[in-house]
Amino acid sequence: MLAVLLAALALISAEAPGPEARTVPAERVFAFLRDYHALPADERSAFTLRYVLQADPDPDGREWRFWTRLDGDDWRVRERGPDGAVTPPDPERLSAGLQLATDAPQGAVRAQVGFTLSAAPAMDYDLAELQAALAQTRAAMRRSLGLRALIAPRPRRIDFAFEGPAPDAFAVFPDGRELELTSVFENVIQLDPGSRDLRGAQTIRFARAPLHAVIVVAN
C-alpha cells in the first residue's frame, strides 16, 4: 500500500480507445473504494484513499492513456497527475460494472492504493486533525483486517511532498513557541503527529503548501 490524492483531476469526453487497448473491471484498479465508502462518515472524515497508476515510459515518447465507461456510455478519459495519481470514480459506478481501458502494453502499468489526508493542501495544519487522520486510518485497517491487524503494518507517519526542496517547517505551540521539523528528505517532510516532541503543539506550519500528504503504512 502506498501511500491519497491531491491533483484536481477531471473526467473529460474523448475519442474511444483503439483496438489495441486492454480493458479490465475498474474494481481491480480501485481496490477498497467501496469498503472505504461503507465506513460511517465520521470514521473516514480525516483520511481518504489515493490511487496511483504508474506506467513505464513508451520508447517512442507517447503518453499512455486511460479511459473508463459503463456499458452503453461513451468512453471518458481518466487523467493522471504528474505522479500518476488519479481521481477515483463514484463508488456507485464502480458497483455498476465500470470498465477501465488503457493503450499501455501488458505489464507496463502498476496500480497502487494508499492513504492520504482529506484536508486540502495548506500551509497550516491543525495537529489534532493530523492525529485524527492516523487514528481513523488505523481503525479502518483494524476493521478491515480483523485479527490480521495484530501483525500487519500500521499507519505510522505522514509524508508531506513538495515541489522542489522541502521548505522550512515548524510545530507551533499555543504560547507562540516554535519547534523546527527536522525529518526532511529532499522534497519530503516526514511527520509523526503522535511524537513526544509535539505534545502540546497546536499547528504544523510550512513555508509553502505541499503537493500532497501521504499516510505511510510501515512495520
Side-chain angles (χ1 to χ4, degrees):
M1 275 188 178
L2 240 203
V4 214
L5 340 205
L6 193 82
L9 304 171
L11 292 174
I12 59 174
S13 297
E15 63 185 39
E20 77 285 357
R22 297 179 299 108
T23 303
V24 297
E27 197 160 24
R28 292 187 188 177
V29 175
F30 298 101
F32 310 111
L33 183 62
R34 287 196 291 173
D35 293 337
Y36 170 78
H37 284 277
L39 292 171
D42 61 350
E43 294 182 15
R44 53 179 170 86
S45 59
F47 80 99
T48 188
L49 299 181
R50 184 171 190 267
Y51 294 90
V52 174
L53 295 177
Q54 294 183 330
D56 294 337
D58 174 47
D60 297 327
R62 285 192 307 166
E63 185 71 26
W64 302 128
R65 294 182 296 173
F66 298 85
W67 299 262
T68 54
R69 78 164 181 182
L70 287 174
D71 284 345
D73 292 347
D74 292 333
W75 286 102
R76 297 175 72 85
V77 169
R78 178 71 61 170
E79 299 285 357
R80 295 189 303 145
D83 62 349
V86 294
T87 301
D90 187 294
E92 293 183 0
R93 289 174 58 83
L94 202 65
S95 300
L98 189 72
Q99 297 290 303
L100 183 140
T102 180
D103 56 5
Q106 183 75 32
V109 178
R110 294 167 300 283
Q112 298 177 322
V113 57
F115 303 109
T116 190
L117 301 180
S118 293
M123 294 175 63
D124 288 3
Y125 289 85
D126 188 308
L127 182 61
E129 292 182 3
L130 300 181
Q131 293 167 342
L134 252 66
Q136 287 186 4
T137 307
R138 289 168 180 162
M141 289 187 63
R142 287 196 301 269
R143 182 168 178 166
S144 175
L145 296 175
L147 290 176
R148 288 175 295 170
L150 296 175
I151 58 173
R154 301 177 60 204
R156 297 289 185 183
R157 67 176 192 270
I158 302 173
D159 283 5
F160 295 86
F162 297 83
E163 183 175 7
D168 293 337
F170 300 89
V172 183
F173 293 78
D175 61 2
R177 181 169 58 93
E178 294 183 342
L179 174 68
E180 184 176 8
L181 304 181
T182 57
S183 294
V184 180
F185 301 89
E186 297 181 350
N187 69 319
V188 174
I189 295 177
Q190 296 181 348
L191 178 75
D192 175 3
S195 170
R196 289 185 179 181
D197 292 340
L198 300 182
R199 285 182 180 175
Q202 190 171 47
T203 305
I204 300 298
R205 179 165 296 159
F206 301 112
R208 66 178 188 277
L211 294 172
H212 56 260
V214 173
I215 298 171
V216 175
V217 177
N219 289 313

